[in-house]
Amino acid sequence: MRRPSPLEVSMSSPHRHKAGFGLALCLAAFLGTGALANPSAPALTPFTRSVAEAAGRSDVISAFYAGRSYRPLWTGPEDAERRQAFLTAIAQASAHGLPVQRYDAAELAARFRAARTEADRGRVEVAMTRALLAWAHDLRGGALEPGKVDPGIKREVQRLDPRSVLTAFEADPRPFLNGLAPRTPEYARLMRARMELEARIAAGGWGPQVPAGKLRPGATGEGVLALRNRLMAMGYLGRSTVAGYDASIEAAVRAFQIDHGLTPDGVVGEGTLAALNVSPETRLESVLVALERERWLASDRGERHIWVNLTDFSARIVEGGKVTFETRSVIGKDSPDQRSPEFSDEMEYMVINPSWHVPRSITTKEYLPLLQRNPNAAAHLKLIDSRGQVVNRGSVNFNAYNARNFPYSMRQPPSDGNALGLVKFMFPNPWNIYLHDTPSKSLFDREVRAFSHGCIRLAQPFDFAYALLARQSDDPEGLFQSHLRTGKETVVRLEEPVPVHLVYSTAWAGPTGRMSYRQDIYGRDGVILEALRAAGVVPGAVQG
């Protein structure tokens, strides 16, 4: 029978193991002797030397242990409860979709068991502290740095201060650990969805795919049977033995289409068929990405806020956790310089009857070539010099300029045909992104609505304005319309700025827990997934 190592004895309860208590007393006496010899420094023991060496690469960890005279946080006989709380927490890393190897509970426990010397104990001590800092960093704010994954993700993640992490954990371990994960209902629902998808995958998935070909009410055959069985497996249809495309299947298809951002016509066409045949493994990957995105958004979103989901082509006003207004939107084209970015800010004001100040990139890339061919092109736009004066186009040789040295800007005055429509909603930001009206109303009838240069167009901008003004006016519609009728550019400030969140969610759960999925239109989820894999996340992995 193997004898326990000194570390295992020292980690045991002093009331249950007299040897562990004796070793702890000896260590205390030894450290105390060193402290008496030199009150300004801890005793130089194999343990303190090992801790100092292992922590040497981290200023935070070095300062932490030096500040406590190298008193252990994890490996003393009184640290068992703290140690177990942490090992229990990180054993759930895979459930959060986090990289298990960064803070591997099984590996840390094995290192504890294998330790034989005080130097071993010092190395394990620091390994636990490093794991704690990594765990707090990843669970609170995400395992990845958003901007390094994709330049279109401009989100600023709020990170915990490492020194505060160590102090708070030592003071009250379990509440601190329990408070790290996002406390949003969405995070809890995504965790549940991940668990349910993994269970479904383990049980064989959703069964055979639905064969190609359009299916509509009244149809029969193998395709309908495959559709029926898949809808049952997905939870859209109760247990059924129907052999034809009846009303129950049509209703299930409509519900599926709504959850996947498709036109709910009850017909299985090309788009619906493609969504039906997506595997649960792929949906699980979307949920893991959604969990990481939720960690990036862990900060307070505001009791009243605007939620623009790019993949859903929608804009919502949320108050007290409930959607009080919703409208369709058009987002940036899927091209490198026109994709709508992701970030959060505060809406401060709206401009009624706005002028459109054409962005420099559009002026030089799109309009300058037109003007070089025909100086009278784009006549609805005014040419403006550096003093803000309108310039007569006939006096300008456009062929003498290029994109770098073109000295003019362009502006479209307020009008019904203005590119911004009749109102824009401003949250000043470095990327010049805002929400606005548009004269191009037909685009809102499309399922996929990625047509702008990056800003967000709204299908119902007036109603959106009324909803925003409702908190500062008894007659928000009358207030808005009175300014609109003047035809003059007017700024109306919001008395209470409203947080705005431009997000990119391809997977989310409704209040009932049923999942909705959208296409990865910009390919950002794919990039995030690859980064998570590179970090060590394995979809469907279980902590050993």
Side-chain angles (χ1 to χ4, degrees):
M1 180 177 181
R2 180 179 70 83
R3 296 179 63 186
S5 71
L7 176 57
E8 289 176 293
V9 173
S10 72
M11 286 168 52
S12 304
S13 168
H15 301 291
R16 295 177 59 192
H17 298 279
K18 294 181 180 179
F21 184 63
L23 177 58
L25 288 178
C26 289
L27 287 172
F30 186 66
L31 291 171
T33 300
L36 289 173
N38 182 3
S40 66
L44 187 61
T45 69
F47 174 77
T48 59
R49 183 186 297 110
S50 178
V51 169
E53 290 175 352
R57 293 167 293 170
S58 168
D59 292 341
V60 171
I61 297 177
S62 295
F64 174 72
Y65 280 102
R68 58 195 284 117
S69 298
Y70 290 86
R71 179 168 49 89
L73 181 67
W74 307 97
T75 59
E78 71 281 6
D79 300 329
E81 184 176 349
R82 178 187 300 132
R83 185 171 59 247
Q84 189 56 49
F86 179 58
L87 292 174
T88 299
I90 61 177
Q92 298 302 311
S94 61
H96 290 275
L98 289 171
V100 171
Q101 297 304 319
R102 285 190 187 177
Y103 17 70
D104 193 336
E107 171 64 19
L108 287 172
R111 291 185 65 175
F112 273 119
R113 292 192 296 270
R116 292 291 180 271
T117 67
E118 287 298 288
D120 291 341
R121 183 163 78 99
R123 285 186 286 271
V124 173
E125 175 76 30
V126 175
M128 287 286 287
T129 300
R130 289 186 185 280
L132 170 63
L133 293 178
W135 178 251
H137 175 281
D138 294 357
L139 188 55
R140 170 55 65 91
L144 306 174
E145 298 297 330
K148 293 180 180 179
V149 178
D150 188 291
I153 307 174
K154 310 296 185 180
R155 193 155 306 287
E156 297 180 7
V157 179
Q158 295 183 4
R159 299 291 187 184
L160 295 174
D161 175 62
R163 296 170 182 82
S164 300
V165 167
L166 296 173
T167 301
F169 173 76
E170 181 180 21
D172 211 347
R174 290 188 186 277
F176 173 77
L177 292 170
N178 291 338
L180 284 175
R183 309 299 291 176
T184 63
E186 177 63 15
Y187 194 80
R189 291 193 287 255
L190 286 169
M191 289 278 287
R192 190 180 312 115
R194 180 208 57 79
M195 180 179 63
E196 292 172 352
L197 281 167
E198 288 183 349
R200 170 56 62 180
I201 292 168
W206 290 325
Q209 293 190 345
V210 181
K214 180 175 272 190
L215 295 172
R216 59 177 67 251
T220 59
E222 294 299 319
V224 173
L225 296 180
L227 171 64
R228 178 201 67 190
N229 294 341
R230 201 156 176 92
L231 290 170
M232 286 167 45
M234 290 178 168
Y236 285 95
L237 184 66
R239 190 168 184 82
S240 174
T241 58
V242 299
Y245 200 133
D246 68 356
S248 67
I249 292 181
E250 182 181 358
V253 168
R254 289 183 189 275
F256 176 89
Q257 290 169 327
I258 290 172
D259 287 348
H260 293 74
L262 302 165
T263 302
D265 57 7
V267 175
V268 179
E270 183 178 348
T272 300
L273 182 67
L276 280 165
N277 285 334
V278 172
S279 70
E281 289 83 0
T282 297
R283 295 306 189 197
L284 175 60
E285 292 172 348
S286 296
V287 169
L288 293 179
V289 171
L291 284 166
E292 177 73 355
R293 287 184 176 280
E294 196 70 12
R295 289 188 286 266
W296 294 343
L297 272 162
S299 58
D300 182 23
R301 296 171 191 182
E303 183 277 333
R304 186 193 196 205
H305 63 267
I306 297 165
W307 190 258
V308 180
N309 187 356
L310 302 177
T311 68
D312 187 41
F313 310 104
S314 66
R316 298 177 174 89
I317 298 176
V318 181
E319 302 184 59
K322 296 182 179 180
V323 176
T324 57
F325 180 81
E326 179 176 359
T327 185
R328 288 167 292 165
S329 69
V330 167
I331 68 169
K333 299 174 186 175
D334 183 18
S335 62
D337 60 343
Q338 296 183 24
R339 296 173 186 137
S340 299
E342 304 167 51
F343 65 98
S344 294
D345 211 304
E346 280 196 335
M347 184 172 291
E348 300 174 9
Y349 61 94
M350 65 183 72
V351 181
I352 302 172
N353 297 312
S355 296
W356 181 41
H357 298 272
V358 184
R360 176 74 181 178
S361 60
I362 299 177
T363 296
T364 57
K365 291 181 181 179
E366 297 185 20
Y367 288 118
L368 179 56
L370 291 177
L371 295 170
Q372 289 171 336
R373 293 192 296 269
N374 176 11
N376 295 315
H380 61 292
L381 300 176
K382 303 293 184 182
L383 196 66
I384 311 296
D385 65 17
S386 60
R387 295 173 299 173
Q389 301 300 311
V390 176
V391 176
N392 183 344
R393 295 186 183 198
S395 64
V396 178
N397 178 10
F398 291 103
N399 290 299
Y401 301 108
N402 56 42
R404 290 188 303 275
N405 65 12
F406 190 57
Y408 304 106
S409 61
M410 302 186 80
R411 176 174 60 84
Q412 184 180 18
S415 68
D416 288 343
N418 187 285
L420 304 183
L422 295 172
V423 60
K424 66 177 180 178
F425 305 89
M426 301 300 293
F427 39 105
N429 57 80
W431 309 285
N432 199 29
I433 298 297
Y434 43 86
L435 278 57
H436 65 88
D437 182 17
T438 176
S440 303
K441 303 296 186 183
S442 62
L443 296 178
F444 293 108
D445 295 330
R446 309 278 188 92
E447 277 186 0
V448 177
R449 299 187 288 274
F451 299 104
S452 81
H453 287 88
C455 286
I456 312 301
R457 305 174 188 172
L458 303 180
Q460 298 169 281
F462 288 9
D463 292 331
F464 186 77
Y466 305 156
L468 289 175
L469 294 172
R471 285 199 177 185
Q472 63 191 67
S473 173
D474 293 333
D475 183 14
E477 182 174 353
L479 172 65
F480 180 89
Q481 290 291 336
S482 66
H483 291 300
L484 183 67
R485 284 193 294 269
T486 68
K488 296 180 180 180
E489 188 165 2
T490 307
V491 172
V492 177
R493 294 203 166 270
L494 299 178
E495 293 178 0
E496 298 177 21
V498 183
V500 183
H501 306 285
L502 271 64
V503 303
Y504 187 98
S505 297
T506 61
W508 70 91
T512 64
R514 195 161 81 180
M515 290 297 298
S516 289
Y517 296 100
R518 296 295 185 269
Q519 294 182 42
D520 183 14
I521 51 173
Y522 292 161
R524 286 181 186 162
D525 269 23
V527 175
I528 294 172
L529 180 64
E530 288 307 307
L532 286 172
R533 289 184 186 275
V537 174
V538 181
V542 178
Q543 172 74 51

